[in-house]
mmCIF file of all heavy atoms in Angstrom:
data_model
loop_
_atom_site.group_PDB
_atom_site.id
_atom_site.type_symbol
_atom_site.label_atom_id
_atom_site.label_comp_id
_atom_site.label_asym_id
_atom_site.label_seq_id
_atom_site.Cartn_x
_atom_site.Cartn_y
_atom_site.Cartn_z
ATOM 1 N N CYS A 149 -16.104 18.124 -61.954
ATOM 2 C CA CYS A 149 -16.677 17.459 -60.771
ATOM 3 C C CYS A 149 -18.164 17.796 -60.644
ATOM 4 O O CYS A 149 -18.991 16.938 -60.330
ATOM 5 C CB CYS A 149 -15.952 17.893 -59.501
ATOM 6 S SG CYS A 149 -14.238 17.387 -59.451
ATOM 7 N N LEU A 150 -18.505 19.053 -60.903
ATOM 8 C CA LEU A 150 -19.911 19.481 -60.810
ATOM 9 C C LEU A 150 -20.752 18.729 -61.839
ATOM 10 O O LEU A 150 -21.834 18.222 -61.522
ATOM 11 C CB LEU A 150 -20.005 20.998 -61.041
ATOM 12 C CG LEU A 150 -21.414 21.593 -61.032
ATOM 13 C CD1 LEU A 150 -22.090 21.396 -59.670
ATOM 14 C CD2 LEU A 150 -21.376 23.098 -61.343
ATOM 15 N N ALA A 151 -20.215 18.614 -63.063
ATOM 16 C CA ALA A 151 -20.949 17.902 -64.127
ATOM 17 C C ALA A 151 -21.140 16.434 -63.733
ATOM 18 O O ALA A 151 -22.222 15.857 -63.907
ATOM 19 C CB ALA A 151 -20.189 18.013 -65.438
ATOM 20 N N ASP A 152 -20.100 15.851 -63.139
ATOM 21 C CA ASP A 152 -20.172 14.451 -62.700
ATOM 22 C C ASP A 152 -21.269 14.298 -61.644
ATOM 23 O O ASP A 152 -22.082 13.367 -61.687
ATOM 24 C CB ASP A 152 -18.814 14.043 -62.126
ATOM 25 C CG ASP A 152 -18.865 12.653 -61.515
ATOM 26 O OD1 ASP A 152 -18.958 11.679 -62.285
ATOM 27 O OD2 ASP A 152 -18.859 12.543 -60.248
ATOM 28 N N PHE A 153 -21.310 15.230 -60.702
ATOM 29 C CA PHE A 153 -22.311 15.200 -59.627
ATOM 30 C C PHE A 153 -23.727 15.307 -60.214
ATOM 31 O O PHE A 153 -24.621 14.562 -59.833
ATOM 32 C CB PHE A 153 -22.051 16.361 -58.666
ATOM 33 C CG PHE A 153 -23.035 16.462 -57.528
ATOM 34 C CD1 PHE A 153 -22.899 15.664 -56.405
ATOM 35 C CD2 PHE A 153 -24.101 17.360 -57.579
ATOM 36 C CE1 PHE A 153 -23.801 15.758 -55.340
ATOM 37 C CE2 PHE A 153 -25.007 17.456 -56.529
ATOM 38 C CZ PHE A 153 -24.850 16.646 -55.405
ATOM 39 N N MET A 154 -23.893 16.236 -61.164
ATOM 40 C CA MET A 154 -25.222 16.437 -61.772
ATOM 41 C C MET A 154 -25.671 15.174 -62.510
ATOM 42 O O MET A 154 -26.837 14.816 -62.507
ATOM 43 C CB MET A 154 -25.194 17.613 -62.759
ATOM 44 C CG MET A 154 -24.762 18.935 -62.167
ATOM 45 S SD MET A 154 -26.045 19.854 -61.348
ATOM 46 C CE MET A 154 -26.939 20.594 -62.692
ATOM 47 N N LYS A 155 -24.700 14.492 -63.146
ATOM 48 C CA LYS A 155 -25.037 13.245 -63.870
ATOM 49 C C LYS A 155 -25.488 12.184 -62.881
ATOM 50 O O LYS A 155 -26.546 11.593 -63.034
ATOM 51 C CB LYS A 155 -23.798 12.738 -64.626
ATOM 52 C CG LYS A 155 -23.705 13.235 -66.059
ATOM 53 C CD LYS A 155 -22.809 12.308 -66.907
ATOM 54 C CE LYS A 155 -22.530 12.955 -68.252
ATOM 55 N NZ LYS A 155 -21.425 13.938 -68.192
ATOM 56 N N THR A 156 -24.658 11.967 -61.840
ATOM 57 C CA THR A 156 -24.985 10.879 -60.909
ATOM 58 C C THR A 156 -26.292 11.158 -60.164
ATOM 59 O O THR A 156 -27.020 10.251 -59.823
ATOM 60 C CB THR A 156 -23.860 10.635 -59.868
ATOM 61 O OG1 THR A 156 -23.367 11.904 -59.452
ATOM 62 C CG2 THR A 156 -22.710 9.838 -60.432
ATOM 63 N N LYS A 157 -26.605 12.413 -59.920
ATOM 64 C CA LYS A 157 -27.839 12.729 -59.182
ATOM 65 C C LYS A 157 -29.013 12.999 -60.135
ATOM 66 O O LYS A 157 -30.082 13.439 -59.695
ATOM 67 C CB LYS A 157 -27.643 13.970 -58.288
ATOM 68 C CG LYS A 157 -26.534 13.834 -57.265
ATOM 69 C CD LYS A 157 -26.874 12.844 -56.177
ATOM 70 C CE LYS A 157 -25.711 12.690 -55.220
ATOM 71 N NZ LYS A 157 -25.762 11.470 -54.437
ATOM 72 N N GLU A 158 -28.771 12.794 -61.424
ATOM 73 C CA GLU A 158 -29.824 12.998 -62.455
ATOM 74 C C GLU A 158 -30.443 14.392 -62.388
ATOM 75 O O GLU A 158 -31.654 14.568 -62.281
ATOM 76 C CB GLU A 158 -30.914 11.922 -62.306
ATOM 77 C CG GLU A 158 -30.367 10.525 -62.536
ATOM 78 C CD GLU A 158 -31.379 9.424 -62.305
ATOM 79 O OE1 GLU A 158 -32.487 9.731 -61.821
ATOM 80 O OE2 GLU A 158 -31.050 8.268 -62.605
ATOM 81 N N LEU A 159 -29.576 15.388 -62.412
ATOM 82 C CA LEU A 159 -30.054 16.779 -62.339
ATOM 83 C C LEU A 159 -29.772 17.520 -63.647
ATOM 84 O O LEU A 159 -29.826 18.743 -63.698
ATOM 85 C CB LEU A 159 -29.349 17.516 -61.197
ATOM 86 C CG LEU A 159 -29.549 16.963 -59.792
ATOM 87 C CD1 LEU A 159 -28.573 17.610 -58.821
ATOM 88 C CD2 LEU A 159 -30.983 17.224 -59.328
ATOM 89 N N MET A 160 -29.405 16.750 -64.688
ATOM 90 C CA MET A 160 -28.886 17.363 -65.901
ATOM 91 C C MET A 160 -29.754 18.464 -66.506
ATOM 92 O O MET A 160 -29.247 19.490 -66.902
ATOM 93 C CB MET A 160 -28.629 16.290 -66.967
ATOM 94 C CG MET A 160 -27.297 15.638 -66.774
ATOM 95 S SD MET A 160 -26.047 16.780 -66.244
ATOM 96 C CE MET A 160 -24.616 16.019 -66.841
ATOM 97 N N GLN A 161 -31.031 18.249 -66.586
ATOM 98 C CA GLN A 161 -31.861 19.222 -67.326
ATOM 99 C C GLN A 161 -32.461 20.308 -66.433
ATOM 100 O O GLN A 161 -33.222 21.135 -66.888
ATOM 101 C CB GLN A 161 -32.990 18.495 -68.100
ATOM 102 C CG GLN A 161 -32.482 17.475 -69.128
ATOM 103 C CD GLN A 161 -31.314 18.023 -69.959
ATOM 104 O OE1 GLN A 161 -31.348 19.152 -70.445
ATOM 105 N NE2 GLN A 161 -30.248 17.232 -70.098
ATOM 106 N N LYS A 162 -32.118 20.301 -65.157
ATOM 107 C CA LYS A 162 -32.711 21.295 -64.241
ATOM 108 C C LYS A 162 -31.915 22.594 -64.245
ATOM 109 O O LYS A 162 -30.690 22.567 -64.296
ATOM 110 C CB LYS A 162 -32.733 20.740 -62.813
ATOM 111 C CG LYS A 162 -33.912 19.835 -62.540
ATOM 112 C CD LYS A 162 -34.030 19.575 -61.054
ATOM 113 C CE LYS A 162 -35.299 18.790 -60.743
ATOM 114 N NZ LYS A 162 -35.383 18.449 -59.343
ATOM 115 N N LYS A 163 -32.643 23.719 -64.165
ATOM 116 C CA LYS A 163 -31.943 25.006 -64.008
ATOM 117 C C LYS A 163 -31.856 25.295 -62.517
ATOM 118 O O LYS A 163 -32.866 25.466 -61.849
ATOM 119 C CB LYS A 163 -32.720 26.130 -64.711
ATOM 120 C CG LYS A 163 -31.989 27.473 -64.615
ATOM 121 C CD LYS A 163 -32.655 28.521 -65.494
ATOM 122 C CE LYS A 163 -31.998 29.865 -65.373
ATOM 123 N NZ LYS A 163 -30.573 29.922 -65.721
ATOM 124 N N LEU A 164 -30.637 25.309 -61.985
ATOM 125 C CA LEU A 164 -30.489 25.470 -60.536
ATOM 126 C C LEU A 164 -29.569 26.632 -60.181
ATOM 127 O O LEU A 164 -28.543 26.829 -60.820
ATOM 128 C CB LEU A 164 -29.902 24.180 -59.932
ATOM 129 C CG LEU A 164 -30.784 22.926 -59.997
ATOM 130 C CD1 LEU A 164 -30.024 21.713 -59.509
ATOM 131 C CD2 LEU A 164 -32.038 23.099 -59.175
ATOM 132 N N PRO A 165 -29.943 27.390 -59.150
ATOM 133 C CA PRO A 165 -29.032 28.431 -58.652
ATOM 134 C C PRO A 165 -27.912 27.785 -57.826
ATOM 135 O O PRO A 165 -28.156 26.790 -57.130
ATOM 136 C CB PRO A 165 -29.908 29.312 -57.754
ATOM 137 C CG PRO A 165 -31.238 28.654 -57.682
ATOM 138 C CD PRO A 165 -31.215 27.387 -58.435
ATOM 139 N N LEU A 166 -26.712 28.353 -57.902
ATOM 140 C CA LEU A 166 -25.580 27.759 -57.217
ATOM 141 C C LEU A 166 -24.893 28.767 -56.299
ATOM 142 O O LEU A 166 -24.752 29.942 -56.642
ATOM 143 C CB LEU A 166 -24.582 27.241 -58.266
ATOM 144 C CG LEU A 166 -23.288 26.620 -57.732
ATOM 145 C CD1 LEU A 166 -22.979 25.336 -58.475
ATOM 146 C CD2 LEU A 166 -22.109 27.560 -57.878
ATOM 147 N N GLY A 167 -24.460 28.269 -55.147
ATOM 148 C CA GLY A 167 -23.646 29.091 -54.245
ATOM 149 C C GLY A 167 -22.250 28.486 -54.189
ATOM 150 O O GLY A 167 -22.111 27.274 -54.051
ATOM 151 N N LEU A 168 -21.249 29.335 -54.321
ATOM 152 C CA LEU A 168 -19.868 28.841 -54.297
ATOM 153 C C LEU A 168 -19.201 29.273 -52.994
ATOM 154 O O LEU A 168 -19.071 30.466 -52.721
ATOM 155 C CB LEU A 168 -19.104 29.420 -55.499
ATOM 156 C CG LEU A 168 -17.584 29.252 -55.528
ATOM 157 C CD1 LEU A 168 -17.182 27.784 -55.569
ATOM 158 C CD2 LEU A 168 -16.978 29.974 -56.725
ATOM 159 N N THR A 169 -18.835 28.277 -52.171
ATOM 160 C CA THR A 169 -18.056 28.601 -50.968
ATOM 161 C C THR A 169 -16.596 28.612 -51.361
ATOM 162 O O THR A 169 -16.062 27.608 -51.826
ATOM 163 C CB THR A 169 -18.260 27.537 -49.878
ATOM 164 O OG1 THR A 169 -19.640 27.433 -49.610
ATOM 165 C CG2 THR A 169 -17.539 27.932 -48.606
ATOM 166 N N PHE A 170 -15.970 29.767 -51.170
ATOM 167 C CA PHE A 170 -14.590 29.932 -51.614
ATOM 168 C C PHE A 170 -13.833 30.532 -50.438
ATOM 169 O O PHE A 170 -14.010 31.704 -50.113
ATOM 170 C CB PHE A 170 -14.595 30.861 -52.834
ATOM 171 C CG PHE A 170 -13.281 30.927 -53.559
ATOM 172 C CD1 PHE A 170 -12.844 29.859 -54.327
ATOM 173 C CD2 PHE A 170 -12.493 32.065 -53.483
ATOM 174 C CE1 PHE A 170 -11.638 29.926 -55.012
ATOM 175 C CE2 PHE A 170 -11.285 32.137 -54.153
ATOM 176 C CZ PHE A 170 -10.844 31.061 -54.924
ATOM 177 N N SER A 171 -13.014 29.688 -49.789
ATOM 178 C CA SER A 171 -12.485 30.087 -48.478
ATOM 179 C C SER A 171 -11.159 30.831 -48.559
ATOM 180 O O SER A 171 -10.190 30.449 -47.911
ATOM 181 C CB SER A 171 -12.317 28.846 -47.613
ATOM 182 O OG SER A 171 -13.427 28.017 -47.786
ATOM 183 N N PHE A 172 -11.119 31.853 -49.385
ATOM 184 C CA PHE A 172 -9.909 32.669 -49.511
ATOM 185 C C PHE A 172 -10.322 34.129 -49.548
ATOM 186 O O PHE A 172 -11.442 34.438 -49.954
ATOM 187 C CB PHE A 172 -9.155 32.305 -50.802
ATOM 188 C CG PHE A 172 -8.828 30.840 -50.893
ATOM 189 C CD1 PHE A 172 -9.673 29.976 -51.585
ATOM 190 C CD2 PHE A 172 -7.730 30.325 -50.232
ATOM 191 C CE1 PHE A 172 -9.404 28.616 -51.634
ATOM 192 C CE2 PHE A 172 -7.454 28.964 -50.279
ATOM 193 C CZ PHE A 172 -8.285 28.111 -50.984
ATOM 194 N N PRO A 173 -9.434 35.030 -49.128
ATOM 195 C CA PRO A 173 -9.813 36.455 -49.111
ATOM 196 C C PRO A 173 -10.132 36.967 -50.521
ATOM 197 O O PRO A 173 -9.297 36.861 -51.423
ATOM 198 C CB PRO A 173 -8.561 37.158 -48.568
ATOM 199 C CG PRO A 173 -7.699 36.089 -47.997
ATOM 200 C CD PRO A 173 -8.066 34.807 -48.654
ATOM 201 N N CYS A 174 -11.356 37.479 -50.682
ATOM 202 C CA CYS A 174 -11.794 38.008 -51.980
ATOM 203 C C CYS A 174 -12.355 39.401 -51.787
ATOM 204 O O CYS A 174 -13.020 39.669 -50.792
ATOM 205 C CB CYS A 174 -12.914 37.150 -52.558
ATOM 206 S SG CYS A 174 -12.291 35.682 -53.331
ATOM 207 N N LYS A 175 -12.149 40.241 -52.765
ATOM 208 C CA LYS A 175 -12.766 41.571 -52.727
ATOM 209 C C LYS A 175 -14.045 41.482 -53.559
ATOM 210 O O LYS A 175 -13.995 41.152 -54.748
ATOM 211 C CB LYS A 175 -11.807 42.592 -53.323
ATOM 212 C CG LYS A 175 -12.351 44.007 -53.324
ATOM 213 C CD LYS A 175 -11.285 44.979 -53.801
ATOM 214 C CE LYS A 175 -11.721 46.411 -53.637
ATOM 215 N NZ LYS A 175 -12.576 46.923 -54.631
ATOM 216 N N GLN A 176 -15.170 41.728 -52.910
ATOM 217 C CA GLN A 176 -16.447 41.624 -53.622
ATOM 218 C C GLN A 176 -17.036 43.008 -53.846
ATOM 219 O O GLN A 176 -16.942 43.873 -52.989
ATOM 220 C CB GLN A 176 -17.422 40.758 -52.816
ATOM 221 C CG GLN A 176 -17.036 39.296 -52.842
ATOM 222 C CD GLN A 176 -18.086 38.406 -52.188
ATOM 223 O OE1 GLN A 176 -17.940 38.037 -51.042
ATOM 224 N NE2 GLN A 176 -19.132 38.052 -52.917
ATOM 225 N N THR A 177 -17.669 43.203 -55.017
ATOM 226 C CA THR A 177 -18.424 44.437 -55.237
ATOM 227 C C THR A 177 -19.897 44.097 -55.383
ATOM 228 O O THR A 177 -20.745 44.961 -55.390
ATOM 229 C CB THR A 177 -17.956 45.180 -56.505
ATOM 230 O OG1 THR A 177 -17.946 44.238 -57.575
ATOM 231 C CG2 THR A 177 -16.560 45.747 -56.324
ATOM 232 N N LYS A 178 -20.165 42.791 -55.569
ATOM 233 C CA LYS A 178 -21.543 42.325 -55.473
ATOM 234 C C LYS A 178 -21.516 40.870 -55.037
ATOM 235 O O LYS A 178 -20.443 40.273 -54.933
ATOM 236 C CB LYS A 178 -22.322 42.529 -56.770
ATOM 237 C CG LYS A 178 -21.606 42.313 -58.080
ATOM 238 C CD LYS A 178 -22.575 42.727 -59.201
ATOM 239 C CE LYS A 178 -22.204 42.210 -60.558
ATOM 240 N NZ LYS A 178 -21.136 42.949 -61.201
ATOM 241 N N LEU A 179 -22.700 40.321 -54.794
ATOM 242 C CA LEU A 179 -22.773 38.981 -54.207
ATOM 243 C C LEU A 179 -22.210 37.920 -55.146
ATOM 244 O O LEU A 179 -21.657 36.922 -54.715
ATOM 245 C CB LEU A 179 -24.245 38.671 -53.852
ATOM 246 C CG LEU A 179 -24.524 37.402 -53.057
ATOM 247 C CD1 LEU A 179 -23.763 37.392 -51.744
ATOM 248 C CD2 LEU A 179 -26.010 37.251 -52.788
ATOM 249 N N ASP A 180 -22.362 38.146 -56.465
ATOM 250 C CA ASP A 180 -21.947 37.095 -57.403
ATOM 251 C C ASP A 180 -20.656 37.456 -58.134
ATOM 252 O O ASP A 180 -20.517 37.229 -59.339
ATOM 253 C CB ASP A 180 -23.072 36.801 -58.409
ATOM 254 C CG ASP A 180 -23.492 38.038 -59.168
ATOM 255 O OD1 ASP A 180 -22.949 39.126 -58.879
ATOM 256 O OD2 ASP A 180 -24.357 37.926 -60.061
ATOM 257 N N GLU A 181 -19.730 38.051 -57.393
ATOM 258 C CA GLU A 181 -18.446 38.372 -58.003
ATOM 259 C C GLU A 181 -17.411 38.442 -56.887
ATOM 260 O O GLU A 181 -17.714 38.881 -55.788
ATOM 261 C CB GLU A 181 -18.566 39.728 -58.710
ATOM 262 C CG GLU A 181 -17.244 40.390 -59.014
ATOM 263 C CD GLU A 181 -17.423 41.819 -59.540
ATOM 264 O OE1 GLU A 181 -18.089 41.994 -60.550
ATOM 265 O OE2 GLU A 181 -16.876 42.731 -58.902
ATOM 266 N N GLY A 182 -16.203 38.000 -57.165
ATOM 267 C CA GLY A 182 -15.161 38.082 -56.137
ATOM 268 C C GLY A 182 -13.779 38.049 -56.762
ATOM 269 O O GLY A 182 -13.446 37.116 -57.494
ATOM 270 N N ILE A 183 -13.003 39.080 -56.486
ATOM 271 C CA ILE A 183 -11.627 39.145 -56.988
ATOM 272 C C ILE A 183 -10.720 38.537 -55.917
ATOM 273 O O ILE A 183 -10.683 39.025 -54.790
ATOM 274 C CB ILE A 183 -11.194 40.621 -57.230
ATOM 275 C CG1 ILE A 183 -12.238 41.385 -58.064
ATOM 276 C CG2 ILE A 183 -9.798 40.688 -57.848
ATOM 277 C CD1 ILE A 183 -12.415 40.925 -59.479
ATOM 278 N N LEU A 184 -9.995 37.479 -56.277
ATOM 279 C CA LEU A 184 -9.108 36.830 -55.299
ATOM 280 C C LEU A 184 -7.972 37.783 -54.924
ATOM 281 O O LEU A 184 -7.248 38.271 -55.788
ATOM 282 C CB LEU A 184 -8.534 35.535 -55.880
ATOM 283 C CG LEU A 184 -7.520 34.821 -54.975
ATOM 284 C CD1 LEU A 184 -8.194 34.292 -53.713
ATOM 285 C CD2 LEU A 184 -6.827 33.688 -55.705
ATOM 286 N N LEU A 185 -7.830 38.039 -53.611
ATOM 287 C CA LEU A 185 -6.744 38.926 -53.152
ATOM 288 C C LEU A 185 -5.449 38.135 -52.981
ATOM 289 O O LEU A 185 -4.381 38.567 -53.398
ATOM 290 C CB LEU A 185 -7.130 39.590 -51.825
ATOM 291 C CG LEU A 185 -8.312 40.561 -51.889
ATOM 292 C CD1 LEU A 185 -8.654 41.070 -50.504
ATOM 293 C CD2 LEU A 185 -7.998 41.738 -52.810
ATOM 294 N N SER A 186 -5.568 36.979 -52.331
ATOM 295 C CA SER A 186 -4.361 36.147 -52.181
ATOM 296 C C SER A 186 -4.787 34.739 -51.813
ATOM 297 O O SER A 186 -5.793 34.534 -51.131
ATOM 298 C CB SER A 186 -3.469 36.722 -51.080
ATOM 299 O OG SER A 186 -4.181 36.720 -49.861
#
Side-chain angles (χ1 to χ4, degrees):
C149 295
L150 178 62
D152 174 71
F153 179 81
M154 302 277 281
K155 268 202 190 82
T156 41
K157 301 291 177 200
E158 297 176 352
L159 299 168
M160 277 322 207
Q161 300 315 314
K162 277 192 174 176
K163 182 171 177 59
L164 294 174
L166 178 135
L168 169 62
T169 304
F170 191 73
S171 318
F172 305 95
C174 280
K175 180 174 188 279
Q176 288 187 261
T177 51
K178 38 186 197 282
L179 188 57
D180 57 357
E181 162 188 302
I183 310 294
L184 176 67
L185 294 176
S186 61

